Amino acid sequence: MPKGTLIAAMNMGRAAEDEFQDWYDTEHLPERQRVPGFLVCERWIGVDDRRISLATYDLESVAVLKSPGYLAIGGENLSPWSKRVTSQVGRLMRFEGDQILPGEQLPPAKAGGLLLNAMNIAPELEAEFNEWYDKEHIPALAAVPGVLAARRFRGTGNRKYVALYHLSTPAVVESAEWKQARQSEWTSRLQPHFRDHLRLVTRRYQRGA
């Protein structure tokens, strides 16, 4: 069974930043870390906008999200604090899915940055899109200096496909090597057919920083 992921991206919206961070640090993230099957739980914030919050949860499998441990803290069972805070934020994306590349790799421990690319693709080009991602795009970007891991996921939510790139620093995506690696004739041909594209460049969250 493939490894699973849960990804939550949001704008803090009307929530006060200090309360939002307190809620995430002292209640929301620790609740999920205690659920059996949650393997790696990480938080990230936007490089250009610190009110963009991204949380990534690596799971034994996506089935963990149907387990009694998770259902006890999710959905209708959210705490009063969670319901109040989440009513004030803007949800950019919630994604549940399976890791489709590469294998069962977990994220590296010391990444300073994370790039998220999420999208849908025109149905008639989906097979070619996956071939391009697997055979050209991911291998090219994974070889860029400073890229620590490059992984792909397929699942459900308002986007079907997500790619996560763990980086030594967020500045990797501004490097000449990165820009060169993401250019190709195949890429240029497929890009016009991307739908609902969400790109977030983030840095690792550190409390008080």
Side-chain angles (χ1 to χ4, degrees):
M1 184 175 293
K3 289 285 191 296
T5 190
L6 169 64
I7 300 171
M10 61 188 77
N11 187 306
M12 293 179 200
R14 295 181 290 107
E17 184 177 350
D18 55 352
E19 183 186 15
F20 180 89
Q21 306 295 11
D22 284 344
W23 163 71
Y24 236 125
D25 288 344
T26 64
E27 180 182 279
H28 195 68
L29 194 74
E31 279 182 335
R32 281 139 189 81
Q33 288 174 319
R34 291 191 292 267
V35 173
F38 274 68
L39 304 177
V40 182
C41 306
E42 297 182 310
R43 292 194 58 204
W44 311 85
I45 61 172
V47 168
D48 296 324
D49 183 356
R50 61 177 292 115
R51 292 184 66 81
I52 297 297
S53 170
L54 176 64
T56 55
Y57 305 94
D58 282 270
L59 313 170
E60 286 183 353
S61 77
V62 74
V64 170
L65 301 177
K66 304 293 186 184
S67 69
Y70 182 71
L71 295 176
I73 60 169
E76 293 302 313
N77 293 320
L78 285 173
S79 73
W81 196 10
S82 289
K83 290 178 179 178
R84 182 162 61 82
V85 171
T86 55
S87 72
Q88 300 177 64
V89 306
R91 177 178 289 183
L92 301 176
M93 185 185 75
R94 177 188 165 90
F95 177 87
E96 304 174 4
D98 297 318
Q99 182 166 312
I100 56 176
L101 192 78
E104 296 189 348
Q105 178 184 356
L106 288 173
K110 297 183 179 180
L114 182 74
L115 169 66
L116 175 145
N117 261 318
M119 66 192 74
N120 294 312
I121 183 69
E124 65 273 15
L125 291 171
E126 189 167 1
E128 183 183 2
F129 169 83
N130 283 303
E131 183 181 13
W132 161 76
Y133 236 128
D134 292 348
K135 294 185 177 180
E136 179 184 278
H137 197 60
I138 285 280
L141 293 179
V144 171
V147 177
L148 307 179
R151 301 184 296 157
R152 288 190 66 210
F153 303 87
R154 177 173 50 231
T156 60
N158 49 15
R159 278 90 174 172
K160 185 174 182 179
Y161 291 99
V162 170
L164 294 179
Y165 304 91
H166 282 75
L167 313 168
S168 56
T169 74
V172 169
V173 300
E174 301 299 330
S175 69
E177 293 91 342
W178 177 275
K179 292 176 181 179
Q180 179 63 33
R182 61 189 297 269
Q183 294 176 354
S184 77
E185 181 179 342
W186 203 359
T187 302
S188 297
R189 184 157 55 81
L190 285 174
Q191 275 183 330
H193 304 283
F194 296 170
R195 304 287 185 264
D196 311 307
H197 189 193
L198 177 66
R199 182 178 187 269
L200 298 177
V201 182
T202 64
R203 62 178 174 87
R204 183 177 293 277
Y205 167 80
Q206 293 181 311
R207 188 168 178 83

